[in-house]
Amino acid sequence: MRFFRHIAAALFLLLAPLSLFAEFYSSSYYGWTLDLPEGFKVKEASNDGLSFYLEHEFMKVRVAVNMYSLDRYERNDLAMEDVLNKLKADGEIDGFLWNGRQTSISQYSFQLPGNNTPQAGWGLSVTTEQNPVHMVFLCYADKDVFEDCQQFVLSAVDSICLNKGDFRLPGAVTSYAFNSSESIDAKIKIGQKDLYLSIPAQAKESGRFVIDREFSVLTLYAKQKQWKEAWQRYYRLVFREAYSRLDQASQAIYAALKTDAMTKNPQNPNVQICKSLLAWTQDFGYQRNQDTSDLNDLTSVLQNQGSDCDSRALLLCVLMEHFGVKTELFVSGIYSHALFGVDLPYSGARITVDGTDYLLCETTAPVDMGLVAQEHSETANWIPVDLP
């Protein structure tokens, strides 16, 4: 039986050689990348590069990381158990599969030597795939403020990617919380076509879980210098959680639209597919809920169960990325709006990001690809969100 329901988990891992790009921590040697909340800083590191201590700039969240050779421990849960024993921590360990990997998660409390303030936290232990080692992540805070930090800590542990594929699969904590393999049937209509889809039974609940968690993190940065980066990260993690949940739906949509698209545009059928999908989302019922995160889960959006500009644009990013087409989400606080950007040959307004000219598409008005309202045409007011 699982020993907790309201999950909060741990961070972290850093190893030489370490690189930092746009707040992504990564190791080419061990193959991992972390898309952490903005503001974590390494405060201490061992000479052998196998342990690290990090603190956040304005959240009272601390991270300790240790890495162990496979010769030292037979399994990663034994590594976690030993670390907790050395801390004289009270806690339990539970095992689960995260993207096919045996992983261990723990809730614990302890007291630091020479510190009278009790600590509380969560931990994750997993074995890396490239140059394997057991990684033990401990993320903790003063016990009297830990409840206020829970969502932040959850977000941190879900930022861990052990390979490139993890960027499009749910994070460890989300996988632990929503692990059902059951599916449900759904029906949607694109143009004149009725499509019957299979969707993970927990997809809506999982999507809502990540959106609400990440929105609570995002609000912490409203008056911080990293507000723009935090906004970009918010959408990246929502995209990450939803992408694989919509694998089967994306395949079914592509199969339904491909033949007609090949007939209308044999040189580039993806242009016609994109036009069809854009017209489809433009016809959705518009709905905003500004009392919460103001973003609906993408499984609900797919079924036309409430959406606005950013959720529609993000859904189109997920679908077109499944079809092998590069996309970009563009958001603007000045305009309170979002646009869908796609790398396809078609005339119209574009914004260049890292050498790629993305065609801009409006998801809330019945206009063709590349047409953007005059009052939204100042490109400097749009923030690009690179999707993993």
Side-chain angles (χ1 to χ4, degrees), residues 155-342:
S155 179
V157 72
D158 252 10
S159 75
I160 301 169
C161 297
L162 297 187
N163 58 35
K164 187 175 180 180
D166 278 354
F167 278 102
R168 296 191 172 189
L169 293 167
V173 174
T174 306
S175 297
Y176 179 72
F178 303 96
N179 60 1
S180 172
S181 59
E182 296 182 2
S183 297
I184 59 174
D185 295 328
K187 178 184 176 182
I188 65 173
K189 189 180 186 71
I190 300 180
Q192 300 303 311
K193 295 181 181 294
D194 291 326
L195 279 69
Y196 298 89
L197 312 175
S198 177
I199 296 172
Q202 293 182 318
K204 290 184 181 182
E205 187 180 5
S206 175
R208 190 76 257 157
F209 172 80
V210 170
I211 289 170
D212 290 345
R213 182 193 71 203
E214 293 308 320
F215 184 73
S216 74
V217 173
L218 177 62
T219 57
L220 299 172
Y221 292 85
K223 297 182 179 179
Q224 301 295 328
K225 62 184 178 181
Q226 310 100 327
W227 67 268
K228 182 172 73 173
E229 292 79 10
W231 204 6
Q232 292 168 318
R233 181 181 179 274
Y234 168 65
Y235 287 110
R236 282 198 304 271
L237 267 65
V238 174
F239 173 91
R240 178 188 178 185
E241 188 282 329
Y243 187 87
S244 65
R245 308 287 192 193
L246 297 180
D247 279 348
Q248 192 281 335
S250 298
Q251 293 170 15
I253 290 171
Y254 185 77
L257 300 181
K258 180 176 66 173
T259 300
D260 185 56
M262 289 288 292
T263 300
K264 293 181 177 179
N265 191 340
Q267 291 186 328
N268 200 326
N270 280 332
V271 170
Q272 182 59 39
I273 289 176
C274 190
K275 286 171 69 73
S276 297
L277 292 178
L278 183 62
W280 169 58
T281 56
Q282 288 170 347
D283 198 40
F284 284 174
Y286 191 83
Q287 178 180 322
R288 297 188 67 181
N289 185 354
Q290 294 178 298
D291 294 333
T292 57
S293 62
D294 195 23
L295 183 72
N296 204 0
D297 70 274
L298 299 193
T299 301
S300 294
V301 177
L302 178 76
Q303 298 174 78
N304 194 10
Q305 296 173 350
S307 64
D308 60 359
C309 54
D310 52 354
S311 58
R312 297 182 195 186
L314 203 53
L315 174 63
L316 289 175
C317 287
V318 168
L319 295 176
M320 294 305 297
E321 288 281 346
H322 269 95
F323 307 156
V325 179
K326 289 178 64 177
T327 66
E328 190 91 356
L329 177 68
F330 293 93
V331 295
S332 173
I334 294 174
Y335 298 142
S336 296
H337 197 40
L339 294 172
F340 166 58
V342 61

